[in-house]
Structure formats: C-alpha cells, structure tokens
Amino acid sequence: VFCGDAGAFVLGTILMAMFYAPRGSAIRKGWGLRWGVMFVGAISFMQVFLTWSGPIDDLPFGEIEGVNLSDPSLLTTMYGWSITQLVDRYLLLAKFCFAAIVALYLWGLLSGYADVQVLKNRNRSLGQSS
C-alpha cells in the first residue's frame, strides 16, 4: 500500500539515475532519450514530493471510486499510521532518494574530472615523446 507514491519516488530516482549510464550504452547513443528519461523522472519525483510536502488538506485521502480507499486512507485506517507518521515516512524516503541522486551527481563530477586529468596526462606524455 505504501509503495504507490513511494514507488513514484524510487522509479523517478531510477529514471534520473539513468542519465549517468555508461558511455557506450544504448541510452547514451541518442541525446534525446537520455535527457527525456531524466526529465520524466524528475517530473514524477517532484509531483509526488509536492503532494507530500504541501498542506495536509491536499493529501490524497478518500476513496477510489469502485475500488477501495486511497493508499493514505488505507494506511491510516487499516494500519494505524498517524498522518504525521505517514507524511514523515514519505518525506524520509524522498530525502534518501534525493541523497542518492546527489551522490550520483558528485560521482559523475569526480569521474569526469578524473577523465579530464587522464587525458591531460596522456597529451602531456605524447607531447614530450615527440
């Protein structure tokens, strides 16, 4: 039940992480796919984040017509979570996902810097040998 919006956080994070796919991979062959997947992941992450970080009145409590209660309603009525626990757990997951993206971004910066240094050293050694 928790994995509805939690899944949107995780899948959005995975889609954004695909931006850092290895150089020879299929997702990096065309520039549009890589950027498009990152954009879709960021939008889905932000949409769910705005829902859970906004006013409590905007939370999706209620009933899904013809199905059952919404996920937040099920978690509070059937599983006994308080609204504060519910919001805190979704926002904690969002923070973990965001931290993963920041860590991946920093890794990308450092590996890019390392690649530039290797190229500089290679060019320097080629210049000295000629």
Side-chain angles (χ1 to χ4, degrees):
V1 175
F2 179 73
C3 289
D5 283 347
F9 280 132
V10 173
L11 288 175
T13 302
I14 290 169
L15 289 174
M16 288 187 285
M18 288 175 70
F19 184 81
Y20 296 101
R23 288 201 199 292
S25 66
I27 198 165
R28 289 194 69 164
K29 292 202 193 260
W31 70 271
L33 179 61
R34 183 175 166 218
W35 285 95
V37 166
M38 186 198 60
F39 182 74
V40 168
I43 293 297
S44 67
F45 185 93
M46 284 306 302
Q47 187 271 330
V48 177
F49 180 77
L50 290 174
T51 297
W52 289 102
S53 62
I56 290 179
D57 295 340
D58 291 345
L59 295 180
F61 287 104
E63 186 175 340
I64 301 170
E65 190 173 327
V67 179
N68 202 353
L69 295 174
S70 67
D71 291 347
S73 297
L74 281 173
L75 289 169
T76 54
T77 58
M78 285 185 64
Y79 297 102
W81 292 13
S82 70
I83 295 174
T84 305
Q85 286 176 324
L86 184 68
V87 171
D88 288 346
R89 289 173 183 171
Y90 277 116
L91 291 180
L92 181 64
L93 178 61
K95 289 174 188 175
F96 278 122
C97 289
F98 187 73
I101 288 296
V102 168
L104 193 57
Y105 175 75
L106 292 174
W107 173 79
L109 284 177
L110 291 174
S111 64
Y113 178 76
D115 288 348
V116 168
Q117 294 305 315
V118 166
L119 288 174
K120 281 183 180 179
N121 290 337
R122 191 176 296 158
N123 288 340
R124 229 181 266 141
S125 65
L126 288 174
Q128 291 174 354
S129 64
S130 58

